[in-house]
Amino acid sequence: MRQEIKDKKTETTEPEPEEPQNPLTKKFTEAEWEALKELRTKLPYIFETSFPEKENKLSPIILWGVPIDPSNPVGDARVSVVLVKFLRARELNVENATNMMISTLKWREEFKTDEVVTEEFPQDLFGSVGHVFGKDKDGRPVTYNIYGGDKDIAAVFADVPKFIRWRVQLMERGITLIDFTNVDSMVQVHDYEGVGLRSRDANSKAAASQASKIFQDYYPEFLSKKFFINVPTFMTWIFWLFKPLISANTLAKMNVVGSGTATISEALLPVVDARELPKRYGGEAEAF
């Protein structure tokens, strides 16, 4: 009789839905899978807390081009990739990742990131300061920030809120080239050629501080590598001064490179193919 009851239970037990996979999810560790499954259960709470003004707080949203439905977070492997980014940014602590995701969704709602993506900015002011161009050898987009040369840097940073909105737009433009299937991060190159002590006014410092906080708090694990090139000596010292405050994980992604095409290309070409690298940095590409 007991055996018969056991068999009936076995017959009525539904198998767990098959986990959708892509090349990125196949690299998840067991600890990441465990944390991910727990974070999925928090999604209704995350949505309800993030969107208190919405009539239907649990309606699906699109985050970085990926539809996320709190009632069905298992249907798309890309959702798993996005959620794991929050977990990795908080060392797989589910509670901290939950809070980070809530903060991110609230900020995006308040900042109106959907609008900033299509916002128009003065090309004479920002057109030559930032570029999304080419990909690295693994298919990650490369973003270039150029703060030196003959640009009127004081004018670029004169309106800090406007600069921040433009800088967020540049970040979002790079993310549109990330598929969350094969790649989930980007490469950044910051060019400081011609930047001097006088360039570091109050506005530029405030803009740098605000931008750094935004990307640290609301864009989890989007940085694969960051190169600081044509760095003047005084900025090298600033970098080393702040080194103890930077996490080991972030520090491993950062490279401070000297000046000159040969020096820069030696650092960039192992990461970016010559055909994708602008000529000004020792590559073959006709770029900005």
Side-chain angles (χ1 to χ4, degrees):
M1 185 64 176
R2 289 181 180 177
Q3 183 63 42
E4 183 180 344
I5 294 174
K6 183 178 179 181
D7 290 341
K8 287 183 179 180
K9 285 185 178 181
T10 303
E11 290 174 3
T12 57
T13 301
E14 295 184 6
E16 290 187 10
E18 186 176 347
E19 186 76 49
Q21 298 280 359
N22 66 27
L24 290 175
T25 61
K26 289 178 180 178
K27 297 177 183 178
F28 289 178
T29 66
E30 289 186 15
E32 288 173 341
W33 276 116
E34 183 178 351
L36 169 61
K37 290 176 181 179
E38 184 178 348
L39 182 58
R40 284 171 177 164
T41 68
K42 307 289 186 182
L43 282 178
Y45 166 76
I46 290 172
F47 275 51
E48 290 171 352
T49 308
S50 301
F51 310 116
E53 303 301 322
K54 280 189 177 182
E55 184 175 343
N56 184 2
K57 300 177 178 62
L58 297 183
S59 59
I61 64 166
I62 296 178
L63 179 60
W64 299 311
V66 178
I68 300 179
D69 184 348
S71 65
N72 181 29
V74 188
D76 187 339
R78 294 176 302 162
V79 176
S80 299
V81 174
V82 170
L83 295 181
V84 162
K85 291 172 75 62
F86 286 97
L87 289 164
R88 288 172 176 167
R90 292 298 179 261
E91 299 180 342
L92 302 189
N93 183 300
V94 176
E95 181 179 356
N96 292 344
T98 296
N99 292 333
M100 184 184 190
M101 191 169 181
I102 291 171
S103 297
T104 297
L105 296 180
K106 282 184 174 181
W107 173 79
R108 293 181 70 85
E109 191 88 349
E110 294 167 1
F111 196 83
K112 301 185 185 304
T113 51
D114 290 341
E115 294 179 15
V116 80
V117 169
T118 58
E119 193 170 332
E120 293 186 3
F121 296 92
Q123 284 300 300
D124 60 335
L125 196 60
F126 297 109
S128 60
V129 181
H131 308 271
V132 180
F133 180 85
K135 296 183 177 181
D136 76 353
K137 293 180 179 180
D138 292 316
R140 302 182 186 91
V142 184
T143 299
Y144 295 86
N145 294 271
I146 305 173
Y147 297 127
D150 58 358
K151 300 168 189 62
D152 187 349
I153 296 302
V156 170
F157 294 109
D159 186 335
V160 174
K162 179 178 287 187
F163 171 83
I164 293 298
R165 290 188 69 77
W166 168 82
R167 185 62 186 86
V168 168
Q169 184 190 76
L170 183 67
M171 184 70 168
E172 292 285 333
R173 281 173 51 203
I175 292 175
T176 62
L177 301 176
I178 294 174
D179 62 10
F180 298 97
T181 297
N182 297 291
V183 297
D184 64 350
S185 59
M186 65 176 65
V187 175
Q188 295 181 356
V189 178
H190 288 239
D191 187 345
Y192 290 95
E193 183 179 11
V195 174
L197 281 170
R198 292 182 180 179
S199 304
R200 296 282 293 170
D201 62 11
N203 280 356
S204 69
K205 292 176 183 177
S209 176
Q210 290 181 35
S212 296
K213 179 171 175 53
I214 286 172
F215 297 137
Q216 177 177 303
D217 292 350
Y218 310 129
Y219 288 88
E221 298 295 306
F222 273 98
L223 183 64
S224 172
K225 290 184 181 297
K226 178 181 283 192
F227 295 91
F228 299 91
I229 64 175
N230 290 316
V231 179
T233 304
F234 79 93
M235 290 192 70
T236 302
W237 280 106
I238 291 174
F239 173 80
W240 290 111
L241 183 66
F242 284 96
K243 181 180 177 182
L245 304 178
I246 303 172
S247 70
N249 185 41
T250 300
L251 194 63
K253 300 175 182 178
M254 299 169 66
N255 298 270
V256 180
V257 183
S259 303
T261 303
T263 299
I264 294 170
S265 62
E266 184 180 357
L268 294 181
L269 283 174
V271 178
V272 183
D273 189 87
R275 293 169 296 181
E276 297 281 325
L277 186 67
K279 285 185 176 180
R280 66 191 295 170
Y281 301 130
E284 302 170 0
E286 297 287 350
F288 47 88

